[in-house]
Amino acid sequence: MARLHLPLLRDPLVDGFARRIRYLRVSVTDRCNYRCSYCMPEELEDRMQFQPRSAVLTFEELERIVSVFAGLGVRKIRLTGGEPTVRQGIVELVRRIAAVPGIEQIVMTTNGHLLAELAAPLRAAGLAAVNVSVDTLDAARFRTITSRGDLARVLAGIDAAVAAGLSVKTNAVALAEYNGDEIVALCEDAWRRGAVPRFIEHMPMSGGAIYEQARGITAATIRRTLEAAVGPLVPDEPIGRDAGPARYWTVVAQPARRVGIISAMTEHFCDDCNRLRLTATGDLHACLGHDDATSLRQIVRSGGSDEDLVHAIDSTVTGKRAGHVFAEKPPSKHMIGIGG
Ligand code: SAM
């Protein structure tokens, strides 16, 4: 069975809406050491079926699948979860994926709990950047939101990541009762640490079970709140063709200060979507907001060839919808299983 090792063996992946796919988000585990109330609250645990280890893709399987994607023009890989740092051997996995020919950038989304220890080895293994979730700067609130979290550890993780030379962004899910009064403080803190703050509009996952529109803060409100404190913001040009979903804004009076907003609900960016998502068990999803998926694990474990993988990937890309329909029909999948 021939392996595809060359950077680009055929036409790149382009979907039915002329969107070029260059970015794959890979969940490496469905387990998480936190239980964030808007994502995976303790009470949702009964409805969540965590996968047995045998169902999760091995490093060899992941490396092979990523190689096939690289052959199709994917250049950026984001490792996510669950919590990616709880996957045993995560540093080795980063090293292996970073070495796949054609992969130009490997980055990670993490809750930061283990980052103080892992930042330097991850950087040495080839990781370029981390996005760290920090919803509040109040330690008691942080504990309430995450149920098991430790704010001091996460902030130490951010500092360690900056010191290790990783590019760092923070992620806060914008929810009135958690950080409505901390929009400016979260930005100031991230800027002070050498990170770029970002806010994510709350999205209805899990069939909408833990979503209330009224709790969310919109992108427009976030910008207004920030402008009242720091003066006008101007939109940035997207940086690079593999840019993620955030739109960035610069503080006019202090151009080194930027803020990102992921406005999936009120100012959606589906027209620019350049990514696919792979779950820890090898299900390939074309969209965060729809449940349909193709099992790449089945192909890999039944002796399928790389060409079989290419066909499955092609048909997933061909079926990629115009956009999410969060407002009408939230997906029943859980954020912890797909990784954001
Ligand atoms: N455990 C890692 C973390 O905390 O960053 C990676 C996985 S987590 C699912 C990825 C991102 O999704 C986090 O920034 C988290 O805050 C965000 N998130 C989780 N549930 C969300 C929801 N319903 N709407 C918007 N963002 C959500």
Side-chain angles (χ1 to χ4, degrees), residues 14 18 31 83 101 108 112 123 128 149 162 165 170 174 224 299 314 325:
V14 178
R31 310 291 165 125
E83 171 48 40
M108 181 181 284
R123 177 75 184 129
V162 172
T170 57
R224 250 198 329 272
I299 297 171
D314 270 338
V325 285

Coordinates of all heavy atoms in Angstrom, one line a residue, residues 14 18 31 83 101 108 112 123 128 149 162 165 170 174 224 299 314 325:
V14 N -11.1 21.6 -2.2 CA -12.0 22.8 -2.4 C -13.4 22.3 -2.3 O -13.7 21.3 -3.0 CB -11.7 23.5 -3.7 CG1 -12.6 24.7 -3.9 CG2 -10.3 23.9 -3.8
A18 N -16.4 26.8 -3.1 CA -15.1 27.3 -3.5 C -14.2 27.7 -2.3 O -13.4 28.5 -2.4 CB -15.2 28.5 -4.4
R31 N -11.4 13.2 26.8 CA -11.3 13.4 28.3 C -10.9 14.8 28.6 O -10.1 15.3 27.8 CB -10.3 12.4 28.9 CG -10.5 11.0 28.5 CD -11.8 10.4 29.1 NE -12.1 9.2 28.5 CZ -12.3 8.0 29.1 NH1 -12.2 8.0 30.4 NH2 -12.7 7.0 28.5
E83 N -9.2 17.7 26.7 CA -8.1 18.5 27.0 C -6.8 17.8 26.4 O -6.5 16.7 26.9 CB -8.0 18.7 28.5 CG -6.7 19.3 29.0 CD -6.3 20.5 28.2 OE1 -7.1 21.4 27.9 OE2 -5.1 20.7 27.9
P101 N 5.8 15.7 6.4 CA 6.1 16.6 5.3 C 4.8 17.3 4.8 O 3.7 16.7 4.7 CB 6.6 15.7 4.2 CG 7.1 14.5 4.9 CD 6.2 14.3 6.1
M108 N -2.1 24.4 19.4 CA -2.9 23.7 20.4 C -3.9 24.6 21.1 O -3.6 25.7 21.3 CB -2.0 23.0 21.4 CG -2.7 22.2 22.4 SD -1.5 21.5 23.6 CE -0.8 20.2 22.7
G112 N -4.8 24.9 29.8 CA -3.6 25.5 30.5 C -3.2 24.9 31.8 O -2.2 25.2 32.4
R123 N 7.1 23.3 23.0 CA 7.8 24.2 22.0 C 8.9 23.5 21.3 O 9.1 23.6 20.1 CB 8.3 25.4 22.8 CG 9.0 26.4 22.0 CD 8.1 27.2 21.0 NE 8.8 28.1 20.2 CZ 8.7 28.1 18.8 NH1 7.8 27.3 18.2 NH2 9.3 29.0 18.1
A128 N 3.9 25.7 17.7 CA 4.1 27.1 17.4 C 3.3 28.0 18.3 O 3.7 29.1 18.6 CB 3.8 27.4 16.0
G149 N -11.1 23.5 38.3 CA -10.0 24.3 37.8 C -9.2 25.1 38.8 O -9.6 25.3 40.0
V162 N 4.6 31.8 27.1 CA 5.2 33.0 26.5 C 6.7 32.9 26.7 O 7.5 33.2 25.7 CB 4.7 34.3 27.2 CG1 5.4 35.6 26.7 CG2 3.2 34.5 26.9
G165 N 8.5 30.8 24.2 CA 8.5 31.3 22.8 C 7.3 30.9 22.0 O 7.3 31.0 20.8
T170 N -5.5 34.0 24.5 CA -6.4 33.5 25.5 C -7.8 33.4 24.9 O -8.1 34.2 24.0 CB -6.4 34.5 26.7 OG1 -6.8 35.8 26.3 CG2 -5.1 34.5 27.4
A174 N -17.8 34.3 26.2 CA -18.4 35.5 26.7 C -19.8 35.3 27.2 O -20.7 35.1 26.4 CB -18.4 36.6 25.5
R224 N -18.0 47.3 21.9 CA -18.4 48.6 22.5 C -17.8 48.8 23.9 O -17.4 49.8 24.3 CB -20.0 48.6 22.6 CG -20.6 49.6 21.6 CD -22.1 49.9 22.0 NE -22.8 48.8 22.6 CZ -23.5 47.9 22.0 NH1 -23.5 47.8 20.7 NH2 -24.2 47.0 22.7
I299 N -11.8 3.0 8.0 CA -11.0 2.8 6.8 C -9.6 2.3 7.3 O -9.1 1.3 6.8 CB -10.9 4.1 6.0 CG1 -12.3 4.5 5.5 CG2 -9.9 3.9 4.8 CD1 -12.4 5.8 4.8
D314 N -12.5 13.5 0.4 CA -13.1 14.2 -0.7 C -14.6 14.3 -0.6 O -15.2 15.4 -0.8 CB -12.8 13.5 -2.0 CG -11.5 14.0 -2.7 OD1 -11.1 15.1 -2.3 OD2 -10.9 13.3 -3.5
V325 N -26.3 26.0 11.3 CA -27.7 26.4 11.6 C -28.0 26.3 13.1 O -29.0 25.8 13.5 CB -28.7 25.5 10.8 CG1 -28.7 25.8 9.3 CG2 -28.4 24.0 11.0

